[in-house]
Amino acid sequence: SNFGLDGPHGLSSWSEEMPQAILFPANKPSSRVDAAILDQWISTSFASYAQRCSSTTAESEEDLTRAVEELVPIVSIGLHEIVRQVSQHCLERGVVLEKIWRTYVDLFERALKEAKASLRKQKEKAARVEADLEQCREDLLRMRSKHPAQIAKLSKTLHGKFAQRQSVLEEQLRTLQAENSLLSGHYELSDKNAKCWFPLFDMYKASPLQETLRQSPPVLPPSSSPEARISADMKRILLAMPPDGRRRVGFYISSLLGLRSTQLPSDTAEALTERREQNRFKIEQLESRLAELKVSV
């Protein structure tokens, strides 16, 4: 009988690597010899399959599917022959056994289809993951190739900006140094002029008259000559002094000019003190002049 070769539902096809399919006469009564032949054929088929599987070590879902496709026809042929032999002795037993086998085949075929669908989905998912991984590898290689160029470009840009900024700062530094040099020269000149015109300025610059002089307006000179301007400044200073201080300054100036002051009595203690200070000043001048003459001689 060739009923079990493709099965009632066309479950699988016969593999070229399996042993040749066994055939039993359909109308001939079965015997013990048929059962022994069937047992020998099934054992030989299973041994052949086991021998071929022993050469492969890796197992996967694809290998399992292939095993099912190869072994189901063998089991189907054997079970249909058993059903035929049982039906000849008891038809009811054969019908029950065939129903059980068909139900088992339907369930197994459904499970096999689901397994194939799951395997197909897993392959598609693995292919997508592999494609994404390959894309990531390409992106990584592209970034690695661009990285030195980007670093060089960024370094060049920063170097240009830094050089430009450094040039601006150096120019500002040179300008500030030139201004500082001019201000230093002006300060030195002003300091020399102040020492030239007012040698004792450091001794009386912190006088209480400083605030009064700061608030007093400038005095306009009668002309543009140096003497007029000096007298104007002198007048401004004298106006800032109290009356007693102005009298003392007038006494010293009149004595230096060879004049005699008539405003201060000559017999008062204040007049005598001022005359003593004036004489001491003249003595110091004469001693200084005498020392210079001795050195020149």
Side-chain angles (χ1 to χ4, degrees):
S1 171
N2 58 0
F3 176 72
L5 190 57
D6 293 330
H9 304 288
L11 182 65
S12 302
S13 59
W14 189 257
S15 175
E16 296 179 356
E17 298 179 354
M18 297 301 293
Q20 186 177 2
I22 189 171
L23 298 177
F24 292 94
N27 299 324
K28 181 180 178 180
S30 61
S31 63
R32 293 180 177 272
V33 177
D34 294 338
I37 294 174
L38 180 62
D39 179 51
Q40 183 179 1
W41 180 80
I42 290 176
S43 300
T44 303
S45 299
F46 287 164
S48 176
Y49 176 78
Q51 183 178 1
R52 287 187 293 104
C53 290
S54 63
S55 60
T56 59
T57 56
E59 294 184 359
S60 61
E61 294 184 0
E62 187 175 357
D63 295 336
L64 178 61
T65 303
R66 183 180 177 184
V68 171
E69 291 177 352
E70 291 184 3
L71 293 178
V72 165
I74 299 174
V75 176
S76 179
I77 290 176
L79 191 56
H80 280 297
E81 178 60 25
I82 291 296
V83 171
R84 186 187 71 82
Q85 294 180 12
V86 171
S87 298
Q88 289 182 358
H89 295 280
C90 181
L91 182 61
E92 289 78 6
R93 291 177 181 175
V95 171
V96 172
L97 188 60
E98 186 175 1
K99 288 181 179 180
I100 293 174
W101 166 243
R102 287 182 178 180
T103 303
Y104 173 76
V105 169
D106 290 339
L107 294 175
F108 188 79
E109 188 175 25
R110 184 181 302 176
L112 182 60
K113 289 181 179 179
E114 292 179 357
K116 288 182 178 181
S118 177
L119 178 61
R120 184 172 59 256
K121 291 181 180 179
Q122 291 296 329
K123 287 182 178 181
E124 293 175 355
K125 184 177 180 181
R128 290 195 300 270
V129 172
E130 186 67 25
D132 294 340
L133 179 60
E134 186 65 24
Q135 183 65 31
C136 291
R137 289 174 179 173
E138 293 178 358
D139 295 340
L140 179 60
L141 292 176
R142 185 167 56 255
M143 291 179 65
R144 285 180 176 177
S145 62
K146 289 183 177 180
H147 182 70
Q150 291 178 352
I151 290 296
K153 183 178 179 181
L154 180 60
S155 178
K156 184 178 180 181
T157 303
L158 293 177
H159 184 269
K161 291 183 178 179
F162 177 77
Q164 184 179 3
R165 182 60 177 169
Q166 185 179 8
S167 177
V168 173
L169 292 177
E170 288 177 352
E171 183 65 25
Q172 293 179 356
L173 178 60
R174 286 192 293 268
T175 303
L176 292 175
Q177 287 177 347
E179 292 179 358
N180 184 40
S181 179
L182 292 176
L183 293 175
S184 298
H186 182 69
Y187 173 77
E188 292 177 359
L189 181 60
S190 299
D191 186 62
K192 289 179 180 179
N193 291 335
K195 290 181 178 180
C196 178
W197 286 94
F198 308 100
L200 302 179
F201 179 71
D202 292 337
M203 300 178 63
Y204 58 84
K205 64 181 180 180
S207 172
L209 297 175
Q210 182 180 7
E211 188 65 27
T212 306
L213 289 171
R214 189 175 297 164
Q215 296 176 0
S216 63
V219 178
L220 296 177
S223 65
S224 60
S225 62
E227 293 80 3
R229 295 181 184 277
I230 292 173
S231 63
D233 289 340
M234 189 66 182
K235 181 179 178 181
R236 176 173 173 268
I237 295 173
L238 291 175
L239 290 176
M241 291 182 178
D244 186 52
R246 286 200 295 268
R247 286 197 302 269
R248 288 195 181 93
V249 173
F251 176 77
Y252 291 134
I253 292 177
S254 62
S255 300
L256 291 175
L257 296 176
L259 302 177
R260 291 287 182 256
S261 176
T262 58
Q263 297 180 359
L264 290 175
S266 59
D267 54 352
T268 61
E270 183 178 1
L272 295 174
T273 302
E274 291 180 357
R275 186 175 299 174
R276 185 188 63 183
E277 295 294 334
Q278 183 181 3
N279 293 333
R280 183 181 298 172
F281 178 71
K282 288 183 177 181
I283 291 171
E284 291 178 355
Q285 286 184 339
L286 293 174
E287 289 179 351
S288 176
R289 180 60 179 167
L290 180 62
E292 292 177 358
L293 292 175
K294 288 181 178 180
V295 171
S296 62
V297 174

